Amino acid sequence: LLSKLSLLPICLGIALTSYSNSSFTLKGLSYALTSCIMQVSLNILSKKSMKTTQTSGPQCHMNMVTIGFLLSLLKITLPFPPSRPLKPPPLVPPSLSLLASLSYHVEYTLSFVLISLIQPLTYGVVDAIRRLCIICYGKFLNPETEERFNRRNGVGMGMALVGGVGYSIF
Protein backbone atom coordinates (compact mmCIF):
# COMPACT_ATOMS: atom_id res chain seq x y z
CA LEU A 1 0.00 0.00 0.00
CA LEU A 2 2.80 2.43 0.88
CA SER A 3 4.60 1.77 -2.40
CA LYS A 4 1.41 2.50 -4.33
CA LEU A 5 0.73 5.65 -2.29
CA SER A 6 4.20 6.90 -3.20
CA LEU A 7 2.99 7.15 -6.80
CA LEU A 8 0.87 10.18 -5.90
CA PRO A 9 3.81 12.52 -5.13
CA ILE A 10 5.58 11.26 -8.26
CA CYS A 11 2.64 12.13 -10.51
CA LEU A 12 1.84 15.42 -8.82
CA GLY A 13 5.53 16.33 -8.66
CA ILE A 14 6.09 15.79 -12.37
CA ALA A 15 2.94 17.75 -13.15
CA LEU A 16 4.20 20.68 -11.04
CA THR A 17 7.66 20.44 -12.58
CA SER A 18 6.40 20.68 -16.14
CA TYR A 19 3.52 23.09 -15.54
CA SER A 20 3.95 26.66 -16.70
CA ASN A 21 1.20 29.20 -17.25
CA SER A 22 2.24 30.30 -20.73
CA SER A 23 2.48 26.87 -22.33
CA PHE A 24 -0.31 24.88 -20.65
CA THR A 25 -3.32 23.99 -22.81
CA LEU A 26 -6.09 21.46 -22.36
CA LYS A 27 -5.29 20.05 -25.81
CA GLY A 28 -1.67 19.50 -24.77
CA LEU A 29 -2.80 17.89 -21.52
CA SER A 30 -5.11 15.52 -23.42
CA TYR A 31 -2.24 14.52 -25.74
CA ALA A 32 0.06 13.93 -22.77
CA LEU A 33 -2.53 11.83 -20.92
CA THR A 34 -3.28 9.79 -24.06
CA SER A 35 0.43 9.18 -24.58
CA CYS A 36 0.82 8.12 -20.96
CA ILE A 37 -2.12 5.70 -21.15
CA MET A 38 -0.80 4.16 -24.36
CA GLN A 39 2.71 3.77 -22.91
CA VAL A 40 1.43 2.11 -19.74
CA SER A 41 -0.80 -0.19 -21.81
CA LEU A 42 2.17 -1.15 -23.99
CA ASN A 43 4.26 -1.93 -20.91
CA ILE A 44 1.60 -4.09 -19.26
CA LEU A 45 0.67 -5.94 -22.45
CA SER A 46 4.34 -6.52 -23.29
CA LYS A 47 4.98 -8.01 -19.87
CA LYS A 48 1.98 -10.34 -20.23
CA SER A 49 3.06 -11.34 -23.74
CA MET A 50 6.57 -12.17 -22.55
CA LYS A 51 5.21 -14.34 -19.75
CA THR A 52 2.76 -16.27 -21.93
CA THR A 53 5.22 -16.89 -24.78
CA GLN A 54 8.22 -17.52 -22.49
CA THR A 55 10.41 -15.15 -24.49
CA SER A 56 12.73 -12.38 -23.47
CA GLY A 57 12.15 -8.73 -24.18
CA PRO A 58 14.49 -8.50 -27.19
CA GLN A 59 13.12 -11.71 -28.76
CA CYS A 60 9.51 -10.66 -28.31
CA HIS A 61 9.93 -7.18 -29.74
CA MET A 62 12.76 -7.42 -32.26
CA ASN A 63 10.31 -7.78 -35.14
CA MET A 64 8.45 -4.64 -34.08
CA VAL A 65 11.67 -2.66 -33.78
CA THR A 66 12.98 -3.92 -37.13
CA ILE A 67 9.74 -3.17 -38.97
CA GLY A 68 9.48 0.27 -37.40
CA PHE A 69 13.09 1.07 -38.29
CA LEU A 70 12.63 -0.09 -41.88
CA LEU A 71 9.46 1.98 -42.23
CA SER A 72 11.34 5.00 -40.93
CA LEU A 73 14.10 4.39 -43.48
CA LEU A 74 11.53 4.13 -46.28
CA LYS A 75 9.91 7.37 -45.22
CA ILE A 76 13.13 9.36 -45.37
CA THR A 77 14.48 7.77 -48.56
CA LEU A 78 11.38 7.69 -50.77
CA PRO A 79 10.54 10.90 -52.63
CA PHE A 80 7.50 12.91 -51.68
CA PRO A 81 4.49 11.55 -53.65
CA PRO A 82 3.78 13.92 -56.56
CA SER A 83 0.07 13.04 -56.61
CA ARG A 84 -0.59 15.17 -53.54
CA PRO A 85 -1.23 18.85 -54.13
CA LEU A 86 0.16 19.65 -50.68
CA LYS A 87 3.40 21.49 -50.04
CA PRO A 88 6.23 19.02 -49.37
CA PRO A 89 7.39 18.76 -45.75
CA PRO A 90 10.54 20.65 -44.75
CA LEU A 91 13.69 18.81 -45.72
CA VAL A 92 15.40 17.14 -42.79
CA PRO A 93 18.94 15.92 -43.34
CA PRO A 94 18.77 12.14 -43.89
CA SER A 95 21.59 11.60 -41.41
CA LEU A 96 19.59 13.36 -38.67
CA SER A 97 16.46 11.37 -39.53
CA LEU A 98 18.42 8.14 -39.52
CA LEU A 99 20.04 8.87 -36.16
CA ALA A 100 16.74 9.96 -34.60
CA SER A 101 15.02 6.83 -35.87
CA LEU A 102 17.84 4.57 -34.73
CA SER A 103 18.01 6.12 -31.26
CA TYR A 104 14.23 5.82 -30.85
CA HIS A 105 14.31 2.12 -31.66
CA VAL A 106 17.36 1.46 -29.48
CA GLU A 107 15.50 3.16 -26.61
CA TYR A 108 12.50 0.89 -27.09
CA THR A 109 14.65 -2.22 -27.37
CA LEU A 110 16.33 -1.34 -24.08
CA SER A 111 12.93 -0.58 -22.55
CA PHE A 112 11.66 -4.03 -23.48
CA VAL A 113 14.77 -5.63 -22.02
CA LEU A 114 14.19 -3.73 -18.78
CA ILE A 115 10.47 -4.50 -18.59
CA SER A 116 11.19 -8.21 -19.03
CA LEU A 117 13.25 -8.02 -15.82
CA ILE A 118 10.98 -5.93 -13.56
CA GLN A 119 7.30 -5.35 -12.83
CA PRO A 120 5.39 -2.86 -15.03
CA LEU A 121 4.69 -0.58 -12.06
CA THR A 122 8.38 -0.40 -11.17
CA TYR A 123 9.13 0.35 -14.82
CA GLY A 124 6.55 3.13 -14.70
CA VAL A 125 8.24 4.71 -11.69
CA VAL A 126 11.65 4.55 -13.38
CA ASP A 127 10.10 6.01 -16.54
CA ALA A 128 8.50 8.84 -14.56
CA ILE A 129 11.86 9.78 -13.04
CA ARG A 130 13.40 9.57 -16.53
CA ARG A 131 10.76 12.02 -17.77
CA LEU A 132 11.58 14.36 -14.90
CA CYS A 133 15.22 14.28 -16.00
CA ILE A 134 14.18 15.03 -19.60
CA ILE A 135 12.19 18.08 -18.45
CA CYS A 136 15.16 19.40 -16.49
CA TYR A 137 17.64 18.63 -19.26
CA GLY A 138 15.41 20.31 -21.86
CA LYS A 139 15.28 23.48 -19.81
CA PHE A 140 19.04 23.32 -19.32
CA LEU A 141 19.68 22.90 -23.08
CA ASN A 142 17.24 25.62 -24.14
CA PRO A 143 17.40 28.33 -21.49
CA GLU A 144 16.28 31.06 -23.91
CA THR A 145 13.25 29.16 -25.25
CA GLU A 146 12.11 27.54 -22.04
CA GLU A 147 10.77 29.34 -19.00
CA ARG A 148 12.99 29.35 -15.94
CA PHE A 149 12.13 27.03 -13.09
CA ASN A 150 10.10 28.72 -10.39
CA ARG A 151 9.40 27.69 -6.80
CA ARG A 152 6.42 25.55 -7.87
CA ASN A 153 8.62 23.67 -10.35
CA GLY A 154 11.25 23.10 -7.65
CA VAL A 155 8.65 21.77 -5.22
CA GLY A 156 7.43 19.44 -7.98
CA MET A 157 10.92 18.09 -8.61
CA GLY A 158 11.37 17.44 -4.91
CA MET A 159 7.99 15.70 -4.62
CA ALA A 160 8.71 13.44 -7.60
CA LEU A 161 12.12 12.47 -6.25
CA VAL A 162 10.74 11.82 -2.74
CA GLY A 163 8.00 9.67 -4.27
CA GLY A 164 10.56 7.73 -6.33
CA VAL A 165 12.75 7.10 -3.29
CA GLY A 166 9.68 6.18 -1.26
CA TYR A 167 8.59 3.67 -3.89
CA SER A 168 12.06 2.11 -3.89
CA ILE A 169 12.11 1.84 -0.08
CA PHE A 170 8.59 0.44 0.31
Side-chain angles (χ1 to χ4, degrees):
L1 177 64
L2 290 175
S3 64
K4 289 185 173 109
L5 286 175
S6 66
L7 299 176
L8 293 173
I10 294 172
C11 294
L12 185 58
I14 291 175
L16 288 173
T17 302
S18 59
Y19 177 78
S20 63
N21 290 329
S22 65
S23 64
F24 178 82
T25 65
L26 288 177
K27 186 176 182 180
L29 176 64
S30 68
Y31 288 153
L33 291 175
T34 301
S35 171
C36 182
I37 290 168
M38 292 298 137
Q39 183 67 48
V40 169
S41 300
L42 175 66
N43 296 341
I44 292 171
L45 294 174
S46 297
K47 184 73 173 188
K48 286 182 182 179
S49 171
M50 286 182 247
K51 280 186 177 181
T52 58
T53 61
Q54 298 296 312
T55 57
S56 67
Q59 293 170 329
C60 192
H61 298 284
M62 198 56 195
N63 287 338
M64 182 188 79
V65 169
T66 303
I67 290 169
F69 182 70
L70 292 175
L71 289 174
S72 297
L73 279 177
L74 284 174
K75 182 174 176 152
I76 63 171
T77 57
L78 291 178
F80 187 79
S83 60
R84 293 187 195 169
L86 302 174
K87 180 178 154 188
L91 186 62
V92 175
S95 59
L96 179 60
S97 296
L98 183 64
L99 287 174
S101 176
L102 180 63
S103 64
Y104 173 79
H105 293 298
V106 167
E107 175 197 359
Y108 265 80
T109 300
L110 293 174
S111 292
F112 290 125
V113 169
L114 181 59
I115 202 165
S116 68
L117 301 173
I118 61 176
Q119 294 299 317
L121 185 58
T122 302
Y123 180 84
V125 170
V126 171
D127 192 49
I129 300 303
R130 177 187 68 88
R131 288 174 191 269
L132 176 66
C133 293
I134 289 170
I135 293 166
C136 295
Y137 189 61
K139 289 194 183 206
F140 173 75
L141 282 181
N142 303 308
E144 66 280 350
T145 59
E146 296 286 332
E147 292 181 23
R148 296 179 60 111
F149 285 125
N150 57 34
R151 181 172 287 145
R152 178 183 55 231
N153 300 135
V155 169
M157 285 183 242
M159 287 177 68
L161 291 175
V162 166
V165 170
Y167 179 83
S168 298
I169 291 171
F170 299 126

